[in-house]
Amino acid sequence: MSRLDTHRGRVLLTGGAGYIGSHCCVALMQEGYQPVILDNFANARRDVPDRIALAANGPAPQVIEADIRDRTVMETVLAEGGFDAVMHFAGLKSVAESVAHPERYFDINLGGLTVLVAAMAATDTRRLIFSSSATVYDARATGGAISEDAPLGPASPYGHSKLLAEKVLLAQAEADPSWRVGILRYFNPAGAHGTGHIGEEPADPPDNLMPYIAQVASGRRARLQVFGDDYDTPDGTGVRDYIHVADLARGHVASLAALERDGRGHVVNLGTGRGQSVLEMRAAYARVSGREVSFEIRPRRPGDVAQCYCDATRARAVLGFEARHGIDEMCASSWSWTRRREGLA
Ligand code: NAD
Ligand code: UFG
């Protein structure tokens, strides 16, 4: 019986101070695990561990400031840490930046993963959960809900870096069956922790829809630009599968449990299985926040697809996971986080 079966284990969270990692850290603490964060703080604030403590109503997690590309440090951390599993969130995530600077994405998302895998192999750490993305699919080749067996075909260097990382992990698990790898393909994470203590630190200006809408609601930006209203969707605007970040975090805890229970790895979509349009998201945010969210229709954004939502069947079957929160809860939690962050609370 592994240590995860007998007591809640120690889990290393690379990139654990980031948006998704910090929510997973809270979820793991609340389930009795001992998460340890490793982060170089390239895209996270220094006070995140203290805010995780507030959100979890517990102690601040241990933090190791390091870069995943540093093999010596990674081996030392893993050799001395006694970790039962690693959750690998560290990486870069902007599709547009990856087109302009693919070298950064292959260096960190692929090179960093390769270093991590080598360090794990050298220290007999063989449980890994990986943050992959719906961007690995060829969304144009997929008509409706996207299942894990849908055609793969990323449209950006970011997507390629994720797909190549998946291949590295699957090859490792095939070569050594004692490895157990959970590959989680996130659809569109949104929202924040219900306490308002942790949430997303968006780029400036934000790349993604929800943080952009939040800044229009707060008055930081004048209006939302809706990229295209002539898609073949019910209201003409792009449709995506927004999943509450707290649900996503529960999905990681379920993935860890499934790796132990099933004795083998999995590749699973994490989404709700439902699509929402840009205008539906805008209307929900305006209603929930009670603020004006002005918008204008702009041309389509290059590279966007009309719709992208998941088939959530395998997540239910393999992880016993189903998203619980809807878009109103995503908007409400995003709004309390945004108000606190922008000093409006
Ligand atoms: P984030 O930027 O908030 O978190 C990433 C964390 O990794 C940050 O804290 C950053 O400081 C850290 N980091 C970056 N490079 C590092 C390095 N070389 N060494 C150590 N730490 C490093 O991003 P997020 O939204 O929390 O995303 C987490 C993971 O999920 C990423 O791998 C991302 O590609 C993936 N993902 C995110 C989304 C999304 O929409 N947020 C969707 C699909 C997949
Ligand atoms: N959108 C707008 N205005 C904005 C921002 C977005 O109209 O200011 C629209 C987009 O055109 C799209 C929808 O809102 O129809 C969602 O766009 P996002 O940028 O929020 O999300 P994407 O689906 O384009 O991409 C996100 C992440 C990727 C990830 C992908 C997985 O940015 O990293 O989800 O589906 F790979």
Side-chain angles (χ1 to χ4, degrees):
M1 194 181 269
S2 83
R3 294 171 61 187
L4 280 176
D5 293 321
T6 51
H7 70 95
R8 299 300 191 174
R10 273 170 70 75
V11 185
L12 182 69
L13 274 54
T14 74
Y19 172 44
I20 297 167
S22 58
H23 288 81
C24 288
C25 189
V26 171
L28 287 167
M29 287 166 72
Q30 289 177 333
E31 290 294 323
Y33 291 93
Q34 282 181 276
V36 173
I37 291 174
L38 183 145
D39 204 298
N40 70 354
F41 290 89
N43 193 36
R45 297 198 179 183
R46 304 268 162 194
D47 63 352
V48 169
D50 291 336
R51 290 196 274 108
I52 286 174
L54 290 171
N57 200 15
Q62 186 192 337
V63 178
I64 299 164
E65 185 166 345
D67 193 302
I68 51 163
R69 291 166 294 177
D70 187 331
R71 169 85 185 257
T72 311
V73 169
M74 294 308 290
E75 266 192 34
T76 307
V77 166
L78 288 164
E80 293 176 355
F83 295 106
D84 300 279
V86 176
M87 289 190 183
H88 182 48
F89 304 100
L92 305 181
K93 61 171 179 175
S94 161
V95 171
E97 187 196 17
S98 81
V99 173
H101 290 286
E103 76 284 0
R104 295 180 189 165
Y105 282 71
F106 292 112
D107 178 24
I108 295 178
N109 292 6
L110 185 59
L113 173 95
T114 311
V115 170
L116 172 65
V117 168
M120 287 178 66
T123 56
D124 288 338
T125 316
R126 298 198 182 96
R127 304 279 181 278
L128 178 70
I129 293 179
F130 176 60
S131 300
S132 191
S133 164
T135 191
V136 299
Y137 294 114
D138 181 353
R140 281 178 185 78
T142 328
I146 300 176
S147 83
E148 292 80 357
D149 301 322
L152 299 171
S156 69
Y158 168 68
H160 281 289
S161 74
K162 287 289 173 188
L163 186 54
L164 288 166
E166 287 193 5
K167 288 183 195 294
V168 168
L169 293 173
L170 294 174
Q172 192 68 26
E174 197 175 326
D176 179 350
S178 68
W179 275 69
R180 289 181 207 165
V181 176
I183 293 176
L184 304 181
R185 294 178 178 155
Y186 313 158
F187 278 65
N188 290 54
H193 197 264
T195 58
H197 288 299
I198 53 172
E200 187 171 8
E201 298 289 350
D204 189 23
D207 287 329
N208 300 119
L209 180 65
M210 180 73 105
Y212 204 105
I213 292 178
Q215 292 190 2
V216 177
S218 77
R220 258 185 84 181
R221 298 193 190 273
R223 66 188 61 80
L224 171 69
Q225 302 186 358
V226 175
F227 299 138
D229 68 347
D230 56 352
Y231 285 108
D232 185 15
T233 59
D235 66 17
T237 66
V239 166
R240 296 291 183 275
D241 186 340
Y242 298 94
I243 174 168
H244 196 301
V245 66
D247 280 329
L248 201 61
R250 279 195 309 109
H252 286 70
V253 177
S255 171
L256 197 52
L259 289 184
E260 286 313 309
R261 191 181 54 237
D262 302 344
R264 60 193 166 91
H266 46 253
V267 180
V268 169
N269 287 336
L270 287 182
T272 63
R274 291 180 298 278
Q276 248 85 37
S277 76
V278 174
L279 292 180
E280 283 172 329
M281 294 300 282
R282 187 212 72 87
Y285 211 104
R287 189 179 66 248
V288 165
S289 65
R291 307 285 280 225
E292 182 102 1
V293 180
S294 306
F295 70 98
E296 61 185 355
I297 305 296
R298 304 284 301 161
R300 292 181 178 191
R301 187 171 65 176
D304 273 356
V305 293
Q307 60 177 21
C308 177
Y309 62 97
C310 84
D311 178 339
T313 310
R314 193 186 287 179
R316 268 196 300 279
V318 175
L319 309 184
F321 169 81
E322 208 160 344
R324 290 180 186 152
H325 302 297
I327 55 170
D328 281 10
E329 287 152 304
M330 295 179 220
C331 296
S333 58
S334 159
W335 182 232
S336 30
W337 160 245
T338 303
R339 279 164 55 204
R340 186 183 289 270
R341 196 173 170 276
E342 301 201 356
L344 304 172

